[in-house]
Amino acid sequence: MTSIDLSTAWDHHASTYTRVAAPCTGYFAQSLFLSVAGRLPPAARVLDIACGNGELSHAAVLHCLAQQRAGGAPGQVIATDFSEEMVARARRNLSALEAGDVVRCEVHDGQALGFDAASFDAAFSAFGIFLFPDRSAGWREAARVLRPGGLFATAVWRGPDDNPLGRLQMAPVMMSLPEHVRASLPRPGWLDITTPEGLTKEVTAAGFVDAEVTVHSAALTAPTPQAMWTMMHESPLIRPLFERCSEDELAVIERSVLADFEELAGGADRPVRFEASCHFLIARRA
Ligand SMILES: C[S@@+](CC[C@H](N)C(=O)[O-])C[C@H]1O[C@@H](n2cnc3c(N)ncnc32)[C@H](O)[C@@H]1O
């Protein structure tokens, strides 16, 4: 998929993502900001890369406004995403904070950010850079736009053994995936950074030092098994798998997923809850 196809896929997924995933990923994203907030310099210029509907930026703007109320300069938050629809959602959500120039929402591809070198004090990416087709370019761009010593923080899912969300979501898909699709599956590259060591090695290679990695957990509650299936079916990450299946093959996968999730939930009209676990990496620009 080209970058434009991918951003269009995220445009289409934005509404479902916001409704079903963001209450959980948004909790992680806000916690990621709060894990760094105490170390930010006064009036920090903060970048949110792959901001989605703006959850991390929301916490960052509240931080700036609190500094302003305390009599200091607020600093500034720039929320960016390559999906125009996600940026529009972030803008709408953040406008409720009435923060004026303290926040800007802009379309940028995180693999080639349109900002000057060394122009931010802190850069964040919650569940963003880890899924870029060119992840190294994402880490390098984050390093490039940070001033030396600037703070970088990212959230990345742990591997299936340590993250029930990933494991339980994909188990019924993998069980019913036709052999011709299963045989052609590449090993997802992001598995290399599911361990603290793998993540630290890759991020450090892009120009960061003093990396700390910690484990964080929360639950994703989908209102019904069907809502979770719809999200998976639409997801730009999983959908390419389904596009290689015939209609009949896809119907088999859907039945398998719904049966599994209904068992987990205790009924088709019950919420289905997935424990989710991720790593936060916090580092400094060398
Ligand atoms: C899993 S969502 C995370 C959103 C948000 N950070 C959160 O934690 O809720 C991934 C986001 O990455 C964005 N994204 C994917 N590839 C991107 C790229 N190359 N440049 C910028 N944003 C990208 C998508 O549009 C989507 O909003």
Side-chain angles (χ1 to χ4, degrees):
M1 250 200 256
T2 65
S3 204
I4 290 174
D5 293 339
L6 256 182
S7 63
T8 307
W10 277 103
D11 284 345
H12 291 145
H13 189 44
S15 163
T16 308
Y17 182 86
T18 302
R19 198 161 32 84
V20 182
C24 173
T25 55
Y27 162 76
F28 283 125
Q30 297 201 10
S31 301
L32 182 67
F33 176 78
L34 295 173
S35 303
V36 171
R39 292 182 245 180
L40 292 176
R45 193 153 187 267
V46 171
L47 177 65
D48 183 358
I49 301 167
C51 66
N53 57 306
E55 299 281 347
L56 186 141
S57 290
H58 190 276
V61 172
L62 290 180
H63 171 87
C64 291
L65 295 177
Q67 291 200 57
Q68 195 172 37
R69 274 197 306 278
Q76 191 175 40
V77 178
I78 315 286
T80 64
D81 199 287
F82 77 164
S83 152
E84 291 189 12
E85 178 57 27
M86 286 294 197
V87 170
R89 282 170 181 273
R91 191 173 289 123
R92 275 202 299 280
N93 291 342
L94 296 168
S95 69
L97 298 176
E98 298 183 345
D101 291 346
V102 168
V103 60
R104 278 196 349 235
C105 300
E106 297 180 0
V107 175
H108 289 262
D109 186 331
Q111 299 162 132
L113 292 165
F115 298 108
D116 290 342
S119 54
F120 289 91
D121 298 296
F124 295 85
S125 188
F127 308 111
I129 295 175
F130 94 102
L131 54 76
F132 291 0
D134 187 351
R135 229 168 39 223
S136 300
W139 310 128
R140 275 199 313 271
E141 276 297 89
R144 182 185 67 78
V145 300
L146 275 173
R147 64 166 172 75
L151 284 154
F152 176 64
T154 191
V156 172
W157 294 119
R158 297 174 78 203
D161 290 347
D162 302 305
N163 181 17
L165 171 65
R167 189 171 64 243
L168 295 174
Q169 243 192 125
M170 291 311 289
V173 174
M174 296 313 283
M175 261 177 49
S176 50
L177 204 63
E179 191 45 42
H180 71 94
V181 179
R182 197 199 309 255
S184 66
L185 277 186
R187 179 180 173 278
W190 65 269
L191 287 175
D192 295 339
I193 54 166
T194 53
T195 61
E197 299 75 25
L199 179 60
T200 301
K201 186 172 167 207
E202 193 171 293
V203 172
T204 302
F208 293 99
V209 293
D210 300 338
E212 306 157 14
V213 178
T214 47
V215 173
H216 298 261
S217 305
L220 187 154
T221 304
T224 57
Q226 180 67 51
M228 191 66 185
W229 164 250
T230 302
M231 188 170 82
M232 290 165 62
H233 183 236
E234 243 185 37
S235 160
L237 306 179
I238 310 178
R239 197 181 165 82
L241 266 187
F242 298 150
E243 280 169 352
R244 297 195 223 160
C245 300
S246 68
E247 266 183 40
D248 289 347
E249 289 166 343
L250 190 58
V252 172
I253 297 173
E254 179 175 358
R255 279 198 297 279
S256 161
V257 169
L258 287 176
D260 240 53
F261 291 178
E262 282 170 22
E263 194 177 328
L264 283 175
D269 61 348
R270 299 302 160 95
V272 55
R273 187 184 147 94
F274 300 91
E275 297 301 324
S277 188
C278 68
H279 285 130
F280 287 1
L281 173 140
I282 299 173
R284 281 194 183 275
R285 169 80 166 94

